Amino acid sequence: MRIVIAPNAFKGSLSAQDAASAIAEGVRAAAPDAELIVLPIADGGDGTVDAMVAATNGEHRTLRVRGPLGDPVDARYGLIDSSATAVIEMATAAGLALLPPDKRDPRVTTTYGVGELLQHAYDAGARRFIVGIGGSATNDGGAGMAQALGYHLLDGEGHELPPGGLALKRLARIHVGGVHANWKQAEVDVASDVSNPLTGPNGASAVYGPQKGATPEMVTELDAALKRLAEVIRRDLGVDVDQLPGAGAAGGLGGGLVAFAGGRLRPGAEMVMEALKLDDRLQGADLVITGEGRLDSQTARFGKGPAAVARHAKNAGIPVVGIAGSLADETELGLLFDGLMATVVEPGSLEQAIAQARPLLARAATRAMRLVLTGKRGRSLA
């Protein structure tokens, strides 16, 4: 029996790799002779680099870059496919988690470090880039990233703009003569699972600015600054990103990657499944097991990793089981999964569940596998 084990991270308790290992342990307890294909997954958010490096025997690179306030931070990215593909999480260089609450100010935070990661990976030979852009501390429309790539963002007197989204209100022109790489030769896929445009009432500043410390007054100023950035990008680069769905992700970094690196905004989970060659791994499989910390109606609606795995399994005609710490909306989930299993089956606190996440997940996998085997025996007797 050939089984593909492809879980997402169980947020707050297990990485995708640890979850896959626990499920494999549980499956072996019930089916020791099964052939297991262990494939930790991600959906473009936290853990994407680690999951993809682990699943493809890639390598990590660490680079000291300029953090969101200019202080140096050590940021990791991944190289896979013999270094032809780079996997980058912007949050490692410009994420909200890098700043204490009293230091968060989207008027001055920068994506410069993200550009340094992109450039470093390009110089290492990567020509395909998978960029996860969740968890940002920035609202600069990717301006800092562009400056790290060699673009010059100039004010009316020809001076380089300082870091931060607010400075963009003084942007007069974009000079491309110093760009360090030919991004037309690269394929840049950007994991964007939101549809917010760059500016306006549903734009980056209005929707996400307050999470990063913006007051209502700051939101108005930042939105106007991003509007100016979009106008100059349209004029000088010939790309219209202002109302592009997804351009407002990560404080406008989604739009910036489109404009400055030729990026394509794509659903994160599907992009990762493609890079992991999931359909190839499914060939000849008899069962797929996936999961994450919680499975509910949002699993499918927001394009999470287990939903993508389930859809690919369904398309291949392979039954799929979902395992989660907690389950809700099981009727709706039943449209995606052939079986569901919760790891927590006895009363207890959340803290206890998190502390015991690995053994609970392994035992749930054993229970699920025994049910599958019982069903197979039942069919063979019919």
Side-chain angles (χ1 to χ4, degrees), residues 9 21 23 48 61 90 106 139 168 183 199 213 217 224 232 240 264 280 282 290 296 299 322 328 342 353 381:
S21 174
I23 293 172
T48 295
R61 293 284 179 91
M90 76 83 62
N139 203 96
L168 294 170
W183 290 99
T199 69
E217 293 77 16
V232 179
D240 190 352
R264 299 183 301 167
D280 292 341
L282 292 176
T290 185
D296 56 26
T299 301
L381 293 172

mmCIF file with all atom_site columns, all heavy atoms in Angstrom, residues 9 21 23 48 61 90 106 139 168 183 199 213 217 224 232 240 264 280 282 290 296 299 322 328 342 353 381:
data_model
loop_
_atom_site.group_PDB
_atom_site.id
_atom_site.type_symbol
_atom_site.label_atom_id
_atom_site.label_alt_id
_atom_site.label_comp_id
_atom_site.label_asym_id
_atom_site.label_entity_id
_atom_site.label_seq_id
_atom_site.pdbx_PDB_ins_code
_atom_site.Cartn_x
_atom_site.Cartn_y
_atom_site.Cartn_z
_atom_site.occupancy
_atom_site.B_iso_or_equiv
_atom_site.pdbx_formal_charge
_atom_site.auth_seq_id
_atom_site.auth_comp_id
_atom_site.auth_asym_id
_atom_site.auth_atom_id
_atom_site.pdbx_PDB_model_num
ATOM 1   N N   . ALA A 1 9   ? 1.927   22.698  8.508   1.00 0.00 ? 9   ALA A N   1
ATOM 2   C CA  . ALA A 1 9   ? 2.318   22.874  9.907   1.00 0.00 ? 9   ALA A CA  1
ATOM 3   C C   . ALA A 1 9   ? 1.083   22.892  10.803  1.00 0.00 ? 9   ALA A C   1
ATOM 4   O O   . ALA A 1 9   ? 0.012   23.352  10.391  1.00 0.00 ? 9   ALA A O   1
ATOM 5   C CB  . ALA A 1 9   ? 3.097   24.175  10.065  1.00 0.00 ? 9   ALA A CB  1
ATOM 6   N N   . SER A 1 21  ? 6.398   13.618  10.108  1.00 0.00 ? 21  SER A N   1
ATOM 7   C CA  . SER A 1 21  ? 7.095   12.537  10.803  1.00 0.00 ? 21  SER A CA  1
ATOM 8   C C   . SER A 1 21  ? 6.177   11.835  11.798  1.00 0.00 ? 21  SER A C   1
ATOM 9   O O   . SER A 1 21  ? 6.175   10.599  11.919  1.00 0.00 ? 21  SER A O   1
ATOM 10  C CB  . SER A 1 21  ? 8.325   13.091  11.514  1.00 0.00 ? 21  SER A CB  1
ATOM 11  O OG  . SER A 1 21  ? 8.959   12.120  12.296  1.00 0.00 ? 21  SER A OG  1
ATOM 12  N N   . ILE A 1 23  ? 2.847   11.681  11.706  1.00 0.00 ? 23  ILE A N   1
ATOM 13  C CA  . ILE A 1 23  ? 1.837   10.914  10.980  1.00 0.00 ? 23  ILE A CA  1
ATOM 14  C C   . ILE A 1 23  ? 2.443   9.612   10.444  1.00 0.00 ? 23  ILE A C   1
ATOM 15  O O   . ILE A 1 23  ? 1.840   8.543   10.525  1.00 0.00 ? 23  ILE A O   1
ATOM 16  C CB  . ILE A 1 23  ? 1.231   11.744  9.838   1.00 0.00 ? 23  ILE A CB  1
ATOM 17  C CG1 . ILE A 1 23  ? 0.409   12.908  10.420  1.00 0.00 ? 23  ILE A CG1 1
ATOM 18  C CG2 . ILE A 1 23  ? 0.344   10.874  8.938   1.00 0.00 ? 23  ILE A CG2 1
ATOM 19  C CD1 . ILE A 1 23  ? -0.069  13.904  9.380   1.00 0.00 ? 23  ILE A CD1 1
ATOM 20  N N   . THR A 1 48  ? 7.061   28.065  4.820   1.00 0.00 ? 48  THR A N   1
ATOM 21  C CA  . THR A 1 48  ? 7.164   27.644  3.427   1.00 0.00 ? 48  THR A CA  1
ATOM 22  C C   . THR A 1 48  ? 8.597   27.261  3.065   1.00 0.00 ? 48  THR A C   1
ATOM 23  O O   . THR A 1 48  ? 8.847   26.244  2.414   1.00 0.00 ? 48  THR A O   1
ATOM 24  C CB  . THR A 1 48  ? 6.650   28.742  2.486   1.00 0.00 ? 48  THR A CB  1
ATOM 25  O OG1 . THR A 1 48  ? 5.249   28.934  2.719   1.00 0.00 ? 48  THR A OG1 1
ATOM 26  C CG2 . THR A 1 48  ? 6.865   28.375  1.029   1.00 0.00 ? 48  THR A CG2 1
ATOM 27  N N   . ARG A 1 61  ? 20.112  29.062  3.005   1.00 0.00 ? 61  ARG A N   1
ATOM 28  C CA  . ARG A 1 61  ? 21.139  30.096  2.986   1.00 0.00 ? 61  ARG A CA  1
ATOM 29  C C   . ARG A 1 61  ? 20.734  31.161  4.002   1.00 0.00 ? 61  ARG A C   1
ATOM 30  O O   . ARG A 1 61  ? 19.547  31.472  4.146   1.00 0.00 ? 61  ARG A O   1
ATOM 31  C CB  . ARG A 1 61  ? 21.261  30.739  1.603   1.00 0.00 ? 61  ARG A CB  1
ATOM 32  C CG  . ARG A 1 61  ? 21.784  29.807  0.505   1.00 0.00 ? 61  ARG A CG  1
ATOM 33  C CD  . ARG A 1 61  ? 23.273  29.599  0.619   1.00 0.00 ? 61  ARG A CD  1
ATOM 34  N NE  . ARG A 1 61  ? 23.774  28.696  -0.416  1.00 0.00 ? 61  ARG A NE  1
ATOM 35  C CZ  . ARG A 1 61  ? 24.229  29.105  -1.612  1.00 0.00 ? 61  ARG A CZ  1
ATOM 36  N NH1 . ARG A 1 61  ? 24.231  30.406  -1.914  1.00 0.00 ? 61  ARG A NH1 1
ATOM 37  N NH2 . ARG A 1 61  ? 24.675  28.238  -2.484  1.00 0.00 ? 61  ARG A NH2 1
ATOM 38  N N   . MET A 1 90  ? 9.188   36.850  2.966   1.00 0.00 ? 90  MET A N   1
ATOM 39  C CA  . MET A 1 90  ? 9.541   38.238  3.237   1.00 0.00 ? 90  MET A CA  1
ATOM 40  C C   . MET A 1 90  ? 9.610   38.544  4.720   1.00 0.00 ? 90  MET A C   1
ATOM 41  O O   . MET A 1 90  ? 10.368  39.406  5.161   1.00 0.00 ? 90  MET A O   1
ATOM 42  C CB  . MET A 1 90  ? 8.589   39.199  2.528   1.00 0.00 ? 90  MET A CB  1
ATOM 43  C CG  . MET A 1 90  ? 7.212   39.380  3.140   1.00 0.00 ? 90  MET A CG  1
ATOM 44  S SD  . MET A 1 90  ? 7.111   40.592  4.510   1.00 0.00 ? 90  MET A SD  1
ATOM 45  C CE  . MET A 1 90  ? 7.594   42.084  3.677   1.00 0.00 ? 90  MET A CE  1
ATOM 46  N N   . PRO A 1 106 ? 4.579   51.973  10.174  1.00 0.00 ? 106 PRO A N   1
ATOM 47  C CA  . PRO A 1 106 ? 4.603   51.696  8.737   1.00 0.00 ? 106 PRO A CA  1
ATOM 48  C C   . PRO A 1 106 ? 4.993   52.889  7.874   1.00 0.00 ? 106 PRO A C   1
ATOM 49  O O   . PRO A 1 106 ? 5.165   52.739  6.665   1.00 0.00 ? 106 PRO A O   1
ATOM 50  C CB  . PRO A 1 106 ? 3.172   51.241  8.446   1.00 0.00 ? 106 PRO A CB  1
ATOM 51  C CG  . PRO A 1 106 ? 2.355   51.867  9.518   1.00 0.00 ? 106 PRO A CG  1
ATOM 52  C CD  . PRO A 1 106 ? 3.220   51.889  10.737  1.00 0.00 ? 106 PRO A CD  1
ATOM 53  N N   . ASN A 1 139 ? 4.760   49.099  4.685   1.00 0.00 ? 139 ASN A N   1
ATOM 54  C CA  . ASN A 1 139 ? 3.694   49.690  3.879   1.00 0.00 ? 139 ASN A CA  1
ATOM 55  C C   . ASN A 1 139 ? 4.336   50.572  2.807   1.00 0.00 ? 139 ASN A C   1
ATOM 56  O O   . ASN A 1 139 ? 3.881   51.667  2.524   1.00 0.00 ? 139 ASN A O   1
ATOM 57  C CB  . ASN A 1 139 ? 2.759   50.527  4.753   1.00 0.00 ? 139 ASN A CB  1
ATOM 58  C CG  . ASN A 1 139 ? 1.374   50.710  4.145   1.00 0.00 ? 139 ASN A CG  1
ATOM 59  O OD1 . ASN A 1 139 ? 0.449   49.982  4.461   1.00 0.00 ? 139 ASN A OD1 1
ATOM 60  N ND2 . ASN A 1 139 ? 1.235   51.680  3.240   1.00 0.00 ? 139 ASN A ND2 1
ATOM 61  N N   . LEU A 1 168 ? 7.237   58.165  -0.053  1.00 0.00 ? 168 LEU A N   1
ATOM 62  C CA  . LEU A 1 168 ? 6.807   57.996  -1.439  1.00 0.00 ? 168 LEU A CA  1
ATOM 63  C C   . LEU A 1 168 ? 5.927   59.139  -1.932  1.00 0.00 ? 168 LEU A C   1
ATOM 64  O O   . LEU A 1 168 ? 5.766   59.312  -3.137  1.00 0.00 ? 168 LEU A O   1
ATOM 65  C CB  . LEU A 1 168 ? 6.057   56.669  -1.596  1.00 0.00 ? 168 LEU A CB  1
ATOM 66  C CG  . LEU A 1 168 ? 6.903   55.411  -1.379  1.00 0.00 ? 168 LEU A CG  1
ATOM 67  C CD1 . LEU A 1 168 ? 6.010   54.183  -1.311  1.00 0.00 ? 168 LEU A CD1 1
ATOM 68  C CD2 . LEU A 1 168 ? 7.953   55.265  -2.469  1.00 0.00 ? 168 LEU A CD2 1
ATOM 69  N N   . TRP A 1 183 ? 15.611  40.999  -14.522 1.00 0.00 ? 183 TRP A N   1
ATOM 70  C CA  . TRP A 1 183 ? 14.473  40.281  -13.968 1.00 0.00 ? 183 TRP A CA  1
ATOM 71  C C   . TRP A 1 183 ? 13.537  39.762  -15.038 1.00 0.00 ? 183 TRP A C   1
ATOM 72  O O   . TRP A 1 183 ? 12.667  38.933  -14.760 1.00 0.00 ? 183 TRP A O   1
ATOM 73  C CB  . TRP A 1 183 ? 13.744  41.168  -12.955 1.00 0.00 ? 183 TRP A CB  1
ATOM 74  C CG  . TRP A 1 183 ? 14.597  41.342  -11.738 1.00 0.00 ? 183 TRP A CG  1
ATOM 75  C CD1 . TRP A 1 183 ? 15.383  42.407  -11.440 1.00 0.00 ? 183 TRP A CD1 1
ATOM 76  C CD2 . TRP A 1 183 ? 14.803  40.374  -10.700 1.00 0.00 ? 183 TRP A CD2 1
ATOM 77  N NE1 . TRP A 1 183 ? 16.070  42.170  -10.272 1.00 0.00 ? 183 TRP A NE1 1
ATOM 78  C CE2 . TRP A 1 183 ? 15.732  40.940  -9.796  1.00 0.00 ? 183 TRP A CE2 1
ATOM 79  C CE3 . TRP A 1 183 ? 14.303  39.110  -10.449 1.00 0.00 ? 183 TRP A CE3 1
ATOM 80  C CZ2 . TRP A 1 183 ? 16.162  40.264  -8.666  1.00 0.00 ? 183 TRP A CZ2 1
ATOM 81  C CZ3 . TRP A 1 183 ? 14.720  38.429  -9.320  1.00 0.00 ? 183 TRP A CZ3 1
ATOM 82  C CH2 . TRP A 1 183 ? 15.645  39.006  -8.440  1.00 0.00 ? 183 TRP A CH2 1
ATOM 83  N N   . THR A 1 199 ? -4.312  50.601  -3.415  1.00 0.00 ? 199 THR A N   1
ATOM 84  C CA  . THR A 1 199 ? -4.822  51.792  -2.728  1.00 0.00 ? 199 THR A CA  1
ATOM 85  C C   . THR A 1 199 ? -6.342  51.773  -2.648  1.00 0.00 ? 199 THR A C   1
ATOM 86  O O   . THR A 1 199 ? -7.012  50.937  -3.245  1.00 0.00 ? 199 THR A O   1
ATOM 87  C CB  . THR A 1 199 ? -4.374  53.076  -3.449  1.00 0.00 ? 199 THR A CB  1
ATOM 88  O OG1 . THR A 1 199 ? -5.036  53.165  -4.719  1.00 0.00 ? 199 THR A OG1 1
ATOM 89  C CG2 . THR A 1 199 ? -2.861  53.102  -3.655  1.00 0.00 ? 199 THR A CG2 1
ATOM 90  N N   . GLY A 1 213 ? 0.498   49.457  13.186  1.00 0.00 ? 213 GLY A N   1
ATOM 91  C CA  . GLY A 1 213 ? 0.709   50.641  14.008  1.00 0.00 ? 213 GLY A CA  1
ATOM 92  C C   . GLY A 1 213 ? 0.215   51.933  13.411  1.00 0.00 ? 213 GLY A C   1
ATOM 93  O O   . GLY A 1 213 ? 0.478   53.009  13.968  1.00 0.00 ? 213 GLY A O   1
ATOM 94  N N   . GLU A 1 217 ? -4.952  58.898  10.735  1.00 0.00 ? 217 GLU A N   1
ATOM 95  C CA  . GLU A 1 217 ? -4.252  59.949  9.998   1.00 0.00 ? 217 GLU A CA  1
ATOM 96  C C   . GLU A 1 217 ? -3.122  59.360  9.159   1.00 0.00 ? 217 GLU A C   1
ATOM 97  O O   . GLU A 1 217 ? -2.908  59.749  7.998   1.00 0.00 ? 217 GLU A O   1
ATOM 98  C CB  . GLU A 1 217 ? -3.699  61.002  10.967  1.00 0.00 ? 217 GLU A CB  1
ATOM 99  C CG  . GLU A 1 217 ? -4.763  61.813  11.695  1.00 0.00 ? 217 GLU A CG  1
ATOM 100 C CD  . GLU A 1 217 ? -5.427  61.030  12.841  1.00 0.00 ? 217 GLU A CD  1
ATOM 101 O OE1 . GLU A 1 217 ? -4.875  59.985  13.280  1.00 0.00 ? 217 GLU A OE1 1
ATOM 102 O OE2 . GLU A 1 217 ? -6.519  61.457  13.284  1.00 0.00 ? 217 GLU A OE2 1
ATOM 103 N N   . ALA A 1 224 ? -2.190  57.889  0.211   1.00 0.00 ? 224 ALA A N   1
ATOM 104 C CA  . ALA A 1 224 ? -1.834  58.884  -0.803  1.00 0.00 ? 224 ALA A CA  1
ATOM 105 C C   . ALA A 1 224 ? -0.421  58.639  -1.337  1.00 0.00 ? 224 ALA A C   1
ATOM 106 O O   . ALA A 1 224 ? -0.150  58.811  -2.530  1.00 0.00 ? 224 ALA A O   1
ATOM 107 C CB  . ALA A 1 224 ? -1.944  60.289  -0.213  1.00 0.00 ? 224 ALA A CB  1
ATOM 108 N N   . VAL A 1 232 ? 3.663   56.856  -10.621 1.00 0.00 ? 232 VAL A N   1
ATOM 109 C CA  . VAL A 1 232 ? 5.005   56.926  -11.208 1.00 0.00 ? 232 VAL A CA  1
ATOM 110 C C   . VAL A 1 232 ? 5.399   55.587  -11.812 1.00 0.00 ? 232 VAL A C   1
ATOM 111 O O   . VAL A 1 232 ? 6.057   55.537  -12.864 1.00 0.00 ? 232 VAL A O   1
ATOM 112 C CB  . VAL A 1 232 ? 6.025   57.402  -10.150 1.00 0.00 ? 232 VAL A CB  1
ATOM 113 C CG1 . VAL A 1 232 ? 7.431   57.453  -10.741 1.00 0.00 ? 232 VAL A CG1 1
ATOM 114 C CG2 . VAL A 1 232 ? 5.647   58.781  -9.620  1.00 0.00 ? 232 VAL A CG2 1
ATOM 115 N N   . ASP A 1 240 ? 0.615   48.927  -14.569 1.00 0.00 ? 240 ASP A N   1
ATOM 116 C CA  . ASP A 1 240 ? -0.461  49.495  -13.756 1.00 0.00 ? 240 ASP A CA  1
ATOM 117 C C   . ASP A 1 240 ? -0.799  48.523  -12.625 1.00 0.00 ? 240 ASP A C   1
ATOM 118 O O   . ASP A 1 240 ? -1.414  47.483  -12.851 1.00 0.00 ? 240 ASP A O   1
ATOM 119 C CB  . ASP A 1 240 ? -1.693  49.756  -14.615 1.00 0.00 ? 240 ASP A CB  1
ATOM 120 C CG  . ASP A 1 240 ? -2.754  50.572  -13.883 1.00 0.00 ? 240 ASP A CG  1
ATOM 121 O OD1 . ASP A 1 240 ? -2.594  50.808  -12.662 1.00 0.00 ? 240 ASP A OD1 1
ATOM 122 O OD2 . ASP A 1 240 ? -3.737  50.973  -14.529 1.00 0.00 ? 240 ASP A OD2 1
ATOM 123 N N   . ARG A 1 264 ? 4.358   37.420  -10.656 1.00 0.00 ? 264 ARG A N   1
ATOM 124 C CA  . ARG A 1 264 ? 2.977   36.994  -10.884 1.00 0.00 ? 264 ARG A CA  1
ATOM 125 C C   . ARG A 1 264 ? 2.358   36.685  -9.537  1.00 0.00 ? 264 ARG A C   1
ATOM 126 O O   . ARG A 1 264 ? 2.933   35.930  -8.742  1.00 0.00 ? 264 ARG A O   1
ATOM 127 C CB  . ARG A 1 264 ? 2.925   35.731  -11.752 1.00 0.00 ? 264 ARG A CB  1
ATOM 128 C CG  . ARG A 1 264 ? 3.514   35.868  -13.131 1.00 0.00 ? 264 ARG A CG  1
ATOM 129 C CD  . ARG A 1 264 ? 3.344   34.571  -13.914 1.00 0.00 ? 264 ARG A CD  1
ATOM 130 N NE  . ARG A 1 264 ? 3.988   33.438  -13.248 1.00 0.00 ? 264 ARG A NE  1
ATOM 131 C CZ  . ARG A 1 264 ? 3.789   32.166  -13.587 1.00 0.00 ? 264 ARG A CZ  1
ATOM 132 N NH1 . ARG A 1 264 ? 2.929   31.869  -14.557 1.00 0.00 ? 264 ARG A NH1 1
ATOM 133 N NH2 . ARG A 1 264 ? 4.413   31.182  -12.957 1.00 0.00 ? 264 ARG A NH2 1
ATOM 134 N N   . ASP A 1 280 ? 3.008   14.413  -9.434  1.00 0.00 ? 280 ASP A N   1
ATOM 135 C CA  . ASP A 1 280 ? 3.932   13.310  -9.716  1.00 0.00 ? 280 ASP A CA  1
ATOM 136 C C   . ASP A 1 280 ? 4.040   12.386  -8.506  1.00 0.00 ? 280 ASP A C   1
ATOM 137 O O   . ASP A 1 280 ? 4.101   11.156  -8.653  1.00 0.00 ? 280 ASP A O   1
ATOM 138 C CB  . ASP A 1 280 ? 5.320   13.851  -10.066 1.00 0.00 ? 280 ASP A CB  1
ATOM 139 C CG  . ASP A 1 280 ? 5.346   14.591  -11.388 1.00 0.00 ? 280 ASP A CG  1
ATOM 140 O OD1 . ASP A 1 280 ? 4.410   14.397  -12.198 1.00 0.00 ? 280 ASP A OD1 1
ATOM 141 O OD2 . ASP A 1 280 ? 6.292   15.367  -11.614 1.00 0.00 ? 280 ASP A OD2 1
ATOM 142 N N   . LEU A 1 282 ? 1.811   11.756  -6.376  1.00 0.00 ? 282 LEU A N   1
ATOM 143 C CA  . LEU A 1 282 ? 0.559   11.033  -6.154  1.00 0.00 ? 282 LEU A CA  1
ATOM 144 C C   . LEU A 1 282 ? 0.392   9.813   -7.056  1.00 0.00 ? 282 LEU A C   1
ATOM 145 O O   . LEU A 1 282 ? -0.456  8.958   -6.787  1.00 0.00 ? 282 LEU A O   1
ATOM 146 C CB  . LEU A 1 282 ? -0.633  11.973  -6.377  1.00 0.00 ? 282 LEU A CB  1
ATOM 147 C CG  . LEU A 1 282 ? -0.829  13.107  -5.366  1.00 0.00 ? 282 LEU A CG  1
ATOM 148 C CD1 . LEU A 1 282 ? -1.992  13.985  -5.792  1.00 0.00 ? 282 LEU A CD1 1
ATOM 149 C CD2 . LEU A 1 282 ? -1.055  12.562  -3.969  1.00 0.00 ? 282 LEU A CD2 1
ATOM 150 N N   . THR A 1 290 ? -3.402  14.232  4.927   1.00 0.00 ? 290 THR A N   1
ATOM 151 C CA  . THR A 1 290 ? -2.955  15.611  5.092   1.00 0.00 ? 290 THR A CA  1
ATOM 152 C C   . THR A 1 290 ? -3.544  16.159  6.383   1.00 0.00 ? 290 THR A C   1
ATOM 153 O O   . THR A 1 290 ? -4.187  15.444  7.150   1.00 0.00 ? 290 THR A O   1
ATOM 154 C CB  . THR A 1 290 ? -3.363  16.469  3.871   1.00 0.00 ? 290 THR A CB  1
ATOM 155 O OG1 . THR A 1 290 ? -2.800  17.796  4.003   1.00 0.00 ? 290 THR A OG1 1
ATOM 156 C CG2 . THR A 1 290 ? -4.878  16.571  3.743   1.00 0.00 ? 290 THR A CG2 1
ATOM 157 N N   . ASP A 1 296 ? -11.576 23.586  9.031   1.00 0.00 ? 296 ASP A N   1
ATOM 158 C CA  . ASP A 1 296 ? -12.940 24.110  9.113   1.00 0.00 ? 296 ASP A CA  1
ATOM 159 C C   . ASP A 1 296 ? -13.311 24.691  7.759   1.00 0.00 ? 296 ASP A C   1
ATOM 160 O O   . ASP A 1 296 ? -12.623 24.447  6.757   1.00 0.00 ? 296 ASP A O   1
ATOM 161 C CB  . ASP A 1 296 ? -13.072 25.134  10.242  1.00 0.00 ? 296 ASP A CB  1
ATOM 162 C CG  . ASP A 1 296 ? -12.084 26.293  10.121  1.00 0.00 ? 296 ASP A CG  1
ATOM 163 O OD1 . ASP A 1 296 ? -11.645 26.596  8.989   1.00 0.00 ? 296 ASP A OD1 1
ATOM 164 O OD2 . ASP A 1 296 ? -11.731 26.891  11.158  1.00 0.00 ? 296 ASP A OD2 1
ATOM 165 N N   . THR A 1 299 ? -10.711 26.381  5.581   1.00 0.00 ? 299 THR A N   1
ATOM 166 C CA  . THR A 1 299 ? -9.673  25.576  4.945   1.00 0.00 ? 299 THR A CA  1
ATOM 167 C C   . THR A 1 299 ? -9.780  25.640  3.428   1.00 0.00 ? 299 THR A C   1
ATOM 168 O O   . THR A 1 299 ? -8.783  25.821  2.725   1.00 0.00 ? 299 THR A O   1
ATOM 169 C CB  . THR A 1 299 ? -9.776  24.113  5.418   1.00 0.00 ? 299 THR A CB  1
ATOM 170 O OG1 . THR A 1 299 ? -9.623  24.077  6.839   1.00 0.00 ? 299 THR A OG1 1
ATOM 171 C CG2 . THR A 1 299 ? -8.710  23.256  4.760   1.00 0.00 ? 299 THR A CG2 1
ATOM 172 N N   . GLY A 1 322 ? -8.122  13.795  6.255   1.00 0.00 ? 322 GLY A N   1
ATOM 173 C CA  . GLY A 1 322 ? -7.630  15.003  6.907   1.00 0.00 ? 322 GLY A CA  1
ATOM 174 C C   . GLY A 1 322 ? -7.567  14.815  8.415   1.00 0.00 ? 322 GLY A C   1
ATOM 175 O O   . GLY A 1 322 ? -8.535  14.360  9.025   1.00 0.00 ? 322 GLY A O   1
ATOM 176 N N   . ALA A 1 328 ? -14.191 21.494  12.599  1.00 0.00 ? 328 ALA A N   1
ATOM 177 C CA  . ALA A 1 328 ? -15.490 22.172  12.599  1.00 0.00 ? 328 ALA A CA  1
ATOM 178 C C   . ALA A 1 328 ? -16.019 22.152  11.175  1.00 0.00 ? 328 ALA A C   1
ATOM 179 O O   . ALA A 1 328 ? -15.272 21.927  10.227  1.00 0.00 ? 328 ALA A O   1
ATOM 180 C CB  . ALA A 1 328 ? -15.352 23.613  13.105  1.00 0.00 ? 328 ALA A CB  1
ATOM 181 N N   . ALA A 1 342 ? -9.800  13.883  14.398  1.00 0.00 ? 342 ALA A N   1
ATOM 182 C CA  . ALA A 1 342 ? -9.266  14.878  15.328  1.00 0.00 ? 342 ALA A CA  1
ATOM 183 C C   . ALA A 1 342 ? -8.198  14.237  16.203  1.00 0.00 ? 342 ALA A C   1
ATOM 184 O O   . ALA A 1 342 ? -8.309  13.074  16.589  1.00 0.00 ? 342 ALA A O   1
ATOM 185 C CB  . ALA A 1 342 ? -10.384 15.448  16.202  1.00 0.00 ? 342 ALA A CB  1
ATOM 186 N N   . ALA A 1 353 ? -2.870  20.074  24.966  1.00 0.00 ? 353 ALA A N   1
ATOM 187 C CA  . ALA A 1 353 ? -2.934  19.592  23.588  1.00 0.00 ? 353 ALA A CA  1
ATOM 188 C C   . ALA A 1 353 ? -1.691  19.996  22.803  1.00 0.00 ? 353 ALA A C   1
ATOM 189 O O   . ALA A 1 353 ? -1.137  19.206  22.029  1.00 0.00 ? 353 ALA A O   1
ATOM 190 C CB  . ALA A 1 353 ? -4.193  20.122  22.900  1.00 0.00 ? 353 ALA A CB  1
ATOM 191 N N   . LEU A 1 381 ? -14.059 -8.796  1.598   1.00 0.00 ? 381 LEU A N   1
ATOM 192 C CA  . LEU A 1 381 ? -14.944 -9.883  1.999   1.00 0.00 ? 381 LEU A CA  1
ATOM 193 C C   . LEU A 1 381 ? -16.290 -9.837  1.300   1.00 0.00 ? 381 LEU A C   1
ATOM 194 O O   . LEU A 1 381 ? -17.038 -10.820 1.314   1.00 0.00 ? 381 LEU A O   1
ATOM 195 C CB  . LEU A 1 381 ? -15.159 -9.836  3.523   1.00 0.00 ? 381 LEU A CB  1
ATOM 196 C CG  . LEU A 1 381 ? -13.925 -10.137 4.395   1.00 0.00 ? 381 LEU A CG  1
ATOM 197 C CD1 . LEU A 1 381 ? -14.253 -9.847  5.854   1.00 0.00 ? 381 LEU A CD1 1
ATOM 198 C CD2 . LEU A 1 381 ? -13.484 -11.582 4.232   1.00 0.00 ? 381 LEU A CD2 1
#
